[in-house]
Amino acid sequence: MGRVLEVTVLTEGVDATRLNDKATDNVNSNYSLNVSLSERDRSSDALVLSFTLELTSHPQAARFKVSGSATLKGTKDEIKEAISAPDDNKPPPILLMVYERIYSTIYVLSGALKVPHPLPNLLKKSS
Amino acid sequence: MVQETGTDLYSGVLRFYTLNDVRKYLKELLERYQRDYDRSSNVIGSLLRTEGGKGMEVIMSKGWAKVGSMFVNASDPDKGGMEVTFQLVTEMKPRISKTEEILKTFDQVEQLPIEANSTYLLYLHGGIPERLVIDSTEPPPESFSFKGDYTTVQ
């Protein structure tokens, strides 16, 4: 059953907190991301993962916590490739896909809280 | 292409990681076949009721002609369409019975002495589950979990 991997991301919970009264949205700020992915269900052609992504801005201005599920449908090899990190510094492709899908939610929330927007760019391992 | 009626019939081998997953799959397969059967037979049923008393002739078209290796109906599309739907419904019945029977007696498979960490290969032919291989050589994959710290970059 060869086919292209299909990924569905469902956001199940969002928590956004403004951490600093003096924070403004017109400064550059990096965000650190703490991520947790765990298997919720698996079948012959699908894997369902639970995810929790916690983003904190530096300097501290805001924290966002987004949780939900990601469903991967495809062949065994496609699923394996999506959850395997290419090397120690790079995240598994599924994390990038989840981040891409939830990015618009975080962008809107950071605007509402008037804190710096996180960057949509690729993620690298924090040192 | 738009699917008018009918059901997708898979032929191939599926691997399952638990016997419970096999049972769940068979149950969903049966439900889907029954749903598709009900949908198609409702169309036939309502026509037979509307044309009450006329019997099967209502859905037997005389407009078929052999063109090449195929029967083609260009003169009587209503009855032609109804006739092929009726044929489809007739073919669905044994598929449903077979799947139902497999599911009904599946507890006999579940009672077999099966090695821990076995996986299961289900062979389907034309949508009908025909054989099950209990594979003790390939264990299910380890449960996936991942934790990490990253930063957003320019």
Side-chain angles (χ1 to χ4, degrees):
Chain A
M1 278 205 299
R3 61 180 186 198
V4 178
L5 184 74
E6 187 187 313
V7 178
T8 311
V9 175
L10 176 68
T11 301
E12 294 169 347
V14 179
D15 183 49
T17 312
R18 186 178 157 88
L19 299 171
N20 186 338
D21 286 344
K22 291 172 186 162
T24 58
D25 54 359
N26 57 2
V27 292
N28 285 332
S29 177
N30 270 342
Y31 276 76
S32 66
L33 171 63
N34 178 264
V35 60
S36 158
L37 300 167
S38 63
E39 184 173 324
R40 191 185 284 187
D41 194 20
R42 190 190 281 263
S43 66
S44 54
D45 64 348
L47 173 67
V48 184
L49 300 175
S50 293
F51 69 81
T52 304
L53 268 60
E54 195 172 315
L55 287 109
T56 310
S57 67
H58 297 286
Q60 279 209 344
R63 186 170 52 236
F64 301 96
K65 190 173 175 182
V66 184
S67 58
S69 68
T71 303
L72 295 79
K73 282 188 178 174
T75 63
K76 196 167 65 170
D77 291 341
E78 285 167 344
I79 292 174
K80 193 177 172 190
E81 195 180 326
I83 61 174
S84 307
D87 62 53
D88 281 351
N89 288 317
K90 289 183 182 158
I94 185 60
L95 174 56
L96 300 177
M97 292 181 220
V98 170
Y99 184 67
E100 274 170 21
R101 308 284 176 93
I102 64 156
Y103 179 75
S104 55
T105 305
I106 301 167
Y107 188 89
V108 170
L109 287 171
S110 56
L113 293 180
K114 296 206 184 315
V115 294
H117 297 296
L119 297 161
N121 309 57
L122 296 173
L123 309 159
K124 69 171 186 185
K125 197 143 199 168
S126 56
S127 47
Chain B
M1 184 196 75
V2 177
Q3 186 172 339
E4 281 278 318
T5 184
T7 198
D8 290 327
L9 302 174
Y10 179 65
S11 281
V13 179
L14 297 172
R15 185 178 290 276
F16 294 87
Y17 301 125
T18 69
L19 214 44
N20 199 38
D21 286 345
V22 182
R23 177 183 272 282
K24 200 172 139 196
Y25 176 81
L26 292 172
K27 194 165 172 281
E28 285 168 1
L29 196 67
L30 179 62
E31 283 168 359
R32 180 161 62 82
Y33 289 166
Q34 279 170 333
R35 227 176 14 247
D36 293 342
Y37 174 80
D38 289 345
R39 200 167 40 227
S40 300
S41 59
N42 280 344
V43 177
I44 303 290
S46 72
L47 185 84
L48 288 175
R49 278 192 297 278
T50 317
E51 305 280 333
K54 289 189 187 165
M56 295 304 292
E57 69 201 50
V58 178
I59 50 172
M60 303 306 272
S61 172
K62 291 186 176 118
W64 296 103
K66 195 159 190 198
V67 182
S69 301
M70 202 180 208
F71 283 101
V72 176
N73 190 330
S75 61
D76 189 8
D78 288 344
K79 274 193 183 177
M82 210 50 79
E83 190 178 335
V84 289
T85 306
F86 180 73
Q87 190 177 341
L88 189 75
V89 168
T90 312
E91 287 164 6
M92 280 175 171
K93 280 184 191 169
R95 195 177 305 121
I96 290 176
S97 307
K98 178 78 178 159
T99 311
E100 216 163 27
E101 190 57 34
I102 288 169
L103 196 58
K104 215 180 281 178
T105 55
F106 196 69
D107 56 340
Q108 292 176 23
V109 177
E110 289 168 327
Q111 282 162 15
L112 291 171
I114 296 172
E115 260 183 60
N117 275 336
S118 294
T119 54
Y120 306 88
L121 294 172
L122 181 68
Y123 166 64
L124 290 111
H125 181 241
I128 297 176
E130 289 200 346
R131 288 166 187 254
L132 183 75
V133 177
I134 300 170
D135 186 358
S136 56
T137 61
E138 187 171 325
E142 280 180 28
S143 184
F144 172 75
S145 76
F146 176 86
K147 284 183 194 299
D149 293 299
Y150 295 88
T151 55
T152 57
V153 292
Q154 294 280 7

